[in-house]
Amino acid sequence: MPKTPHKALLCFLIMLFAATFLGTAQDKGTTTPLISLIQLLEKNFDVKFSYVDEDISAVQVKVDQTEVLEDVLTTIRAQTQIKIQKLNDRYYTLAKPSVVDICAVVLDNFEENTVIGATVEVLGSAIAIVTNNDGRFTLSNIPSDAILQIKFLGFKTLFVPAGELLGSNPCKTLLLDQFYQQLDEVVVYKFLTTGLTRQADASILLNTAEFGILPGTIEPDILQTVQALPGIKSIDETVSDINIRGGTNDQNLLLWDGIKMYQSGHFFGLISAFNPYLTDKVTLIKNGTSAEYGDGVSGIIDMRTGNNLKKRIFGGAGFNLIGGDLFAQIPLGNKVGIQFSARRSMTDFFNSPTYSQFFKRAFQDTQVTNNNNQTVDVQRDANFYFYDFTGKLLYDINAKHQVRLSFININNKLDYYERTPSNFRETSSALNQTNVSIGGSFDSQWTKRFSTDLNAYYTQYELDANNSSSNSLQQLFQSNQVLEKALKVNTRIDLGKGIDWLNGYQLTETGITNESKVTQPPFENKEKGIVITHALYSELGYRSPDRSLNARGGVRLNYLRNPESFNDLILEPRLNLSYSITDKWKANILGEFKSQATNQVVDLEQNFLGIEKRRWVISDGIDLPVTRSKQGSVGINYDERNLYVGLEGFYKEVKGISTATQGFQNQNQFNGEIGKYDLHGIEFLINKKTDAYSIWASYTYNINNYTFEDVVPQEFPNNLDLRHSATLAATYTIGKLKLGAGLNYHTGKPYTEPSADDPVDNTFFPARINYNEPNSSRLPDYIRADASVIYDLALGPNIDASIGASVLNITDKDNIFNTYYQLSTNDEIEKVESASLGLTPNVSFRVRF
């Protein structure tokens, strides 16, 4: 059918408009191949250009073709740096430049965040540079045919011809692909806050360099951060008494660069003893442990400092209202570098509001109440300070062999004075707590499929204390010393088809000495125990080709020998299964058997006012057997970029515990009965997150009971039985400002009250308290609200800073986390209550370079 005139006219106008628009758009400077542009210029201006096709075939330009010829040529020179020479009015030559100036911006290909500190190297030359805080780099006078190599830890190396960066205004953007190793798959990109990720094997990885913010924290305190996760609490608000799924702190394996640590806190557990700014990553494992780990029947916290050589110096320093610190890594050449950190408190010469609250919390002012509900005033004074420092030597023999040496020293010192005016009693005490450790490793990649790791360490922990009464005739000296040496070797074989095989051997010798001495009446006691452990282990790992199934199964065989009392052979199977039902739904099945031969017994609460009442001891197989555990868990989680929902059910049984290691403060305090505890429960977490904010809620329900056959009743609630615990928190980032706020809740812990009818038994000397059934009462519920804010700022091209402020317990709620009873000198019952931190502010300032 023929077109009608008006339809034909309409089509003509549309085509004319389109042609006009396209022509105008091209004239306005759309990207055009340089060869095509030259051919057009030759036609429009009746000129000729001489050039080599290969020199300009890949060059693109943006030129306004309506300009005069010389203006067009000037634009081409500016965009491409190509040399254009005019021979006469008609003839020109084009030549590829011998050297060029280029620039680019380097981003990651996931969220297109700037990659700061990426190494940009001109291959075949000594020219190298790193990207600045904007991810940008600029190079001048480099060969035009040069190849650039751009690399950064965690990303695939990118190779770019210099010629491809010409003609970019502004600088061209380059995207680095993230590098994924087979056994290090990250399931959650951002978990609660930046720097926290959930691994495929259900462990949690904390990267301190990328750490964002959590409510109440202004610095990435390692042992405070892990308590943000479900199933992990500290009833007494300390980092030295972390309870993982109802276990005591001594049932956790704490590693620093592969060295077992016997001290974890400063200020009597209120501050972590490990400087976070050189700690590269922290792995938290609650279950499904690899066979290479021994000890830690409750959980593992594995801290590792930076292990890669850097080509430039980096470091930082800062202070808060408790103390100051500094850290740095310094390259000493292409193969050698050193790391160091140091921190010291200001508490011995500066009484800040934060220190006042910490002091009040540690020494519990006006804490004793007698039978008549009258408070016994206790006057206290203390001179206290702490420090720590670390060092590490990094030596790369070559690309396949690395040597590392690590050192750490932790120290707490206290001089304490106490006076009770009502009975004219005076007491002075001194406490010195130290941990010195040194360790080394030799890692080798012999072939593409075979590697070995050799580790050795020596660690020494010592707690020395003395206590003098008012008459100066009686003095008490106490000492607890731990010496441990260990050697460990791993071999790893990649068998192909997603299968890898780990084998290893570990030798550990642990000696613990406990000494007590009283001058009046004269008494002295010294006990020393040694345990030697030989361990063989083997483990297979498998990942399916589609990565939907990750499996790890192994076994550890421990031979423990105490030269004076026992020999034990213990077989410990381990299992870790993870299966992706869909891209977003994943399931985990975890299980393990574990054992340990070191524990902490708890001294009388009156000793040093309960400040440092725990001491390490060795299992003797009789009064204190080797502690053994078995646990299993099943979990399922939903994970997409902005939402994570996880649910996990678990069961754990720990045998071979003593009432002496559990901190009883009732009729079972001194008996030393042997028993077990078992718990079962569920953990739930939901986390909604975007680039700007993260909101999460967690809930844990568990039932945790003791069983002691020689105690009446035989079964009763565990001292750490928190039936319900929950957290609601949120963080928000706007520009350089980070905000965090949160609410923590748990039910009160069990405790034992005296009998109301007959509280004191005077038929014994000294008199005794008649108690109700063990742990038959509960403290009030605990609830605390915290908040924090951090602001980042730039002080120079390579110098960043941050200012932070936090408040713990914003509402100043008086939470009682422990209650026990004691008899006064006239046999009256005194109630002793330990209260949580009150409203505690803190501020910090940090500089990084």
Side-chain angles (χ1 to χ4, degrees):
M1 180 178 179
K3 296 181 180 180
T4 60
H6 67 275
K7 288 183 177 180
L9 179 61
L10 178 62
C11 291
F12 175 78
L13 291 175
I14 291 174
M15 294 173 62
L16 180 62
F17 175 80
T20 305
F21 175 80
L22 292 174
T24 304
Q26 185 176 16
D27 287 345
K28 292 298 182 183
T30 57
T31 300
T32 305
L34 181 56
I35 288 182
S36 299
L37 177 61
I38 287 173
Q39 293 171 352
L40 188 60
L41 293 177
E42 289 179 331
K43 180 179 179 180
N44 291 343
F45 295 98
D46 191 25
V47 292
K48 292 292 182 179
F49 292 92
S50 177
Y51 54 88
V52 178
D53 289 351
E54 290 79 5
D55 288 347
I56 65 172
S57 59
V59 180
Q60 301 278 329
V61 292
K62 292 181 180 180
V63 177
D64 187 347
Q65 298 175 23
T66 63
E67 296 178 350
V68 298
L69 178 60
E70 289 302 325
D71 291 339
V72 175
L73 297 180
T74 300
T75 303
I76 293 174
R77 289 189 186 96
Q79 291 187 15
T80 67
Q81 302 181 44
I82 287 178
K83 294 181 179 180
I84 303 176
Q85 182 177 1
K86 184 177 181 180
L87 302 179
N88 53 46
D89 291 340
R90 191 180 181 199
Y91 290 96
Y92 294 81
T93 61
L94 279 71
K96 181 180 179 180
S98 58
V99 294
V100 293
D101 299 334
I102 59 173
C103 71
V105 176
V106 181
L107 308 176
D108 71 73
N109 72 335
F110 187 73
E111 290 188 331
E112 295 193 1
N113 294 319
T114 55
V115 179
I116 304 171
T119 301
V120 182
E121 183 179 355
V122 180
L123 296 181
S125 74
I127 302 173
I129 196 173
V130 295
T131 56
N132 64 13
N133 291 338
D134 298 321
R136 187 176 185 272
F137 71 89
T138 301
L139 291 169
S140 302
N141 296 322
I142 67 169
S144 59
D145 57 353
I147 303 296
L148 304 183
Q149 175 185 270
I150 304 172
K151 59 183 180 179
F152 190 70
L153 183 65
F155 293 86
K156 295 180 180 178
T157 301
L158 179 65
F159 297 93
V160 182
E164 291 187 7
L165 303 182
L166 298 177
S168 300
N169 186 23
C171 299
K172 186 173 182 178
T173 297
L174 301 176
L175 298 180
L176 289 185
D177 294 333
Q178 293 184 345
F179 178 73
Y180 298 99
Q181 290 182 327
Q182 184 174 357
L183 297 181
D184 294 329
E185 181 185 7
V186 175
V187 178
V188 178
Y189 179 68
K190 183 173 72 173
F191 188 69
L192 305 188
T193 187
T194 53
L196 273 177
T197 56
R198 179 184 170 92
Q199 304 293 90
D201 63 358
S203 64
I204 304 298
L205 180 66
L206 167 62
N207 186 325
T208 57
E210 299 176 2
F211 187 76
I213 188 173
L214 285 174
T217 66
I218 47 178
E219 297 178 338
D221 189 303
I222 296 165
L223 301 182
Q224 289 284 5
T225 300
V226 298
Q227 296 180 47
L229 303 168
I232 304 176
K233 291 293 179 185
S234 175
I235 291 181
D236 59 5
E237 299 182 327
T238 66
V239 298
S240 60
D241 194 11
I242 294 177
N243 315 122
I244 299 179
R245 287 184 174 170
T248 53
N249 181 74
D250 59 321
Q251 293 173 355
N252 300 326
L253 175 61
L254 196 65
L255 297 172
W256 182 85
D257 272 358
I259 305 170
K260 184 176 179 180
M261 305 302 297
Y262 286 88
Q263 180 182 349
S264 59
H266 286 311
F267 215 131
F268 313 111
L270 293 174
I271 300 171
S272 169
F274 306 102
N275 192 312
Y277 295 104
L278 279 179
T279 304
D280 183 51
K281 64 179 182 179
V282 181
T283 304
L284 170 69
I285 306 172
K286 292 187 281 187
N287 191 10
T289 311
S290 169
E292 70 171 299
Y293 290 104
D295 289 334
V297 297
S298 274
I300 296 174
I301 301 175
D302 188 357
M303 298 170 285
R304 301 283 173 169
T305 59
N307 209 44
N308 295 314
L309 285 172
K310 305 294 183 181
K311 292 187 177 181
R312 65 183 183 92
I313 297 175
F314 74 88
F319 66 88
N320 56 38
L321 296 184
I322 292 295
D325 73 278
L326 57 88
F327 69 95
Q329 176 164 318
I330 303 173
L332 301 180
N334 293 329
K335 294 185 176 182
V336 182
I338 59 171
Q339 297 175 358
F340 69 88
S341 70
R343 175 170 50 173
R344 192 193 189 281
S345 69
M346 302 181 292
T347 52
D348 51 334
F349 59 85
F350 176 59
N351 291 335
S352 67
T354 310
Y355 171 72
S356 298
Q357 286 295 331
F358 279 16
F359 181 87
K360 182 179 178 181
R361 158 65 182 80
F363 295 97
Q364 297 294 308
D365 290 344
T366 61
Q367 63 177 347
V368 181
T369 306
N370 62 21
N371 280 344
N372 300 318
N373 268 341
Q374 295 177 334
T375 298
V376 180
D377 291 328
V378 180
Q379 300 174 358
R380 298 177 172 89
D381 189 22
N383 181 33
F384 168 77
Y385 70 94
F386 65 80
Y387 63 85
D388 61 68
F389 60 89
T390 68
K392 186 171 184 177
L393 174 68
L394 303 92
Y395 174 45
D396 288 352
I397 301 175
N398 52 44
K400 295 184 177 181
H401 302 282
Q402 298 178 337
V403 175
R404 302 291 185 261
L405 294 174
S406 302
F407 173 80
I408 185 170
N409 185 353
I410 304 169
N411 206 307
N412 288 309
K413 289 183 177 291
L414 167 72
D415 291 314
Y416 179 78
Y417 169 81
E418 178 184 290
R419 182 173 183 268
T420 308
S422 59
N423 57 15
F424 305 101
R425 184 174 63 187
E426 296 183 358
T427 303
S428 61
S429 305
L431 182 73
N432 187 18
Q433 186 180 34
T434 62
N435 194 112
V436 179
S437 304
I438 185 169
S441 66
F442 177 52
D443 301 337
S444 299
Q445 186 73 44
W446 300 99
T447 68
K448 185 177 180 181
R449 294 181 178 269
F450 178 69
S451 64
T452 59
D453 309 319
L454 177 65
N455 294 273
Y457 70 80
Y458 170 84
T459 187
Q460 175 178 319
Y461 166 81
E462 191 162 358
L463 173 64
D464 294 314
N466 66 76
N467 189 21
S468 301
S469 62
S470 55
N471 57 20
S472 72
L473 296 176
Q474 186 185 68
Q475 291 185 323
L476 169 64
F477 299 92
Q478 293 177 307
S479 177
N480 178 214
Q481 185 183 70
V482 181
L483 298 176
E484 183 168 290
K485 297 172 286 185
L487 175 68
K488 181 178 181 179
V489 60
N490 287 336
T491 65
R492 303 178 190 273
I493 304 174
D494 182 357
L495 300 177
K497 297 184 178 180
I499 302 174
D500 62 273
W501 189 16
L502 166 69
N503 292 282
Y505 166 75
Q506 184 173 358
L507 170 64
T508 307
E509 179 181 320
T510 306
I512 299 181
T513 303
N514 276 289
E515 186 174 5
S516 297
K517 182 179 180 181
V518 181
T519 57
Q520 185 66 30
F523 172 80
E524 186 171 356
N525 180 50
K526 185 175 183 179
E527 298 178 352
K528 183 175 182 179
I530 296 176
V531 64
I532 301 172
T533 304
H534 300 268
L536 288 171
Y537 48 90
S538 183
E539 181 175 86
L540 283 174
Y542 171 73
R543 168 172 289 182
S544 61
D546 61 357
R547 297 193 174 187
S548 61
L549 175 63
N550 290 272
R552 187 178 69 213
V555 63
R556 184 182 180 96
L557 182 62
N558 293 325
Y559 172 66
L560 293 85
R561 183 172 68 90
N562 185 321
E564 299 181 355
S565 56
F566 72 88
N567 294 274
D568 270 355
L569 190 64
I570 303 174
L571 188 66
E572 300 175 355
R574 312 282 174 85
L575 178 67
N576 191 308
L577 297 176
S578 175
Y579 180 69
S580 298
I581 304 170
T582 68
D583 289 341
K584 297 179 181 179
W585 286 96
K586 296 178 176 64
N588 291 94
I589 299 177
L590 312 174
E592 65 181 28
F593 283 66
K594 298 177 78 174
S595 63
Q596 66 180 65
T598 55
N599 296 273
Q600 284 184 320
V601 298
V602 183
D603 286 345
L604 298 177
E605 289 293 341
Q606 294 91 331
N607 285 356
F608 309 106
L609 307 166
I611 300 302
E612 281 295 343
K613 57 185 180 294
R614 298 172 297 179
R615 58 175 66 194
W616 289 97
V617 296
I618 286 284
S619 296
D620 58 11
I622 304 172
D623 295 328
L624 186 60
V626 175
T627 306
R628 307 188 189 192
S629 73
K630 59 182 179 181
Q631 61 174 320
S633 61
V634 177
I636 188 168
N637 61 76
Y638 173 84
D639 174 33
E640 59 96 10
R641 176 165 177 169
N642 294 323
L643 178 65
Y644 174 87
V645 181
L647 180 67
E648 187 171 6
F650 58 88
Y651 171 79
K652 179 166 71 172
E653 180 184 71
V654 179
K655 295 182 178 180
I657 64 170
S658 168
T659 54
T661 65
Q662 297 298 299
F664 282 102
Q665 296 165 300
N666 51 29
Q667 62 269 44
N668 302 311
Q669 184 169 353
F670 309 105
N671 298 338
E673 288 89 352
I674 303 300
K676 69 171 186 174
Y677 72 84
D678 60 84
L679 79 158
H680 57 275
I682 59 171
E683 296 172 356
F684 172 77
L685 174 67
I686 181 170
N687 180 207
K688 174 66 176 177
K689 53 194 180 296
T690 68
D691 292 338
Y693 68 85
S694 178
I695 302 174
W696 68 92
S698 67
Y699 170 72
T700 302
Y701 171 77
N702 61 237
I703 298 176
N704 189 355
N705 289 324
Y706 287 123
T707 300
F708 290 96
E709 294 183 358
D710 297 328
V711 174
V712 179
Q714 292 184 344
E715 184 174 319
F716 54 93
N718 192 301
N719 293 336
L720 302 175
D721 178 41
L722 303 181
R723 292 294 169 91
H724 306 275
S725 59
T727 298
L728 177 63
T731 63
Y732 182 69
T733 301
I734 177 171
K736 297 182 178 181
L737 183 67
K738 302 174 185 176
L739 304 170
L743 194 66
N744 293 285
Y745 163 84
H746 65 72
T747 51
K749 64 166 286 190
Y751 75 107
T752 309
E753 291 186 304
S755 171
D757 299 328
D758 186 20
V760 180
D761 185 354
N762 291 301
T763 61
F764 290 88
F765 181 81
R768 299 180 180 178
I769 297 175
N770 288 325
Y771 286 98
N772 293 328
E773 289 188 356
N775 289 348
S776 56
S777 301
R778 281 190 180 269
L779 294 173
D781 292 350
Y782 174 100
I783 187 167
R784 193 181 84 180
D786 306 322
S788 54
V789 57
I790 297 175
Y791 182 75
D792 296 325
L793 61 156
L795 299 182
N798 296 308
I799 303 177
D800 297 323
S802 63
I803 301 172
S806 67
V807 179
L808 298 175
N809 197 3
I810 296 173
T811 61
D812 200 22
K813 188 177 187 302
D814 190 16
N815 289 300
I816 303 299
F817 65 81
N818 191 33
T819 296
Y820 67 96
Y821 300 86
Q822 63 187 25
L823 288 175
S824 65
T825 53
N826 56 357
D827 292 340
E828 288 187 342
I829 293 180
E830 295 177 337
K831 181 179 182 180
V832 183
E833 292 185 334
S834 299
S836 65
L837 281 169
L839 189 150
T840 307
N842 200 0
V843 296
S844 69
F845 176 76
R846 301 205 60 82
V847 175
R848 300 175 299 277
F849 58 87

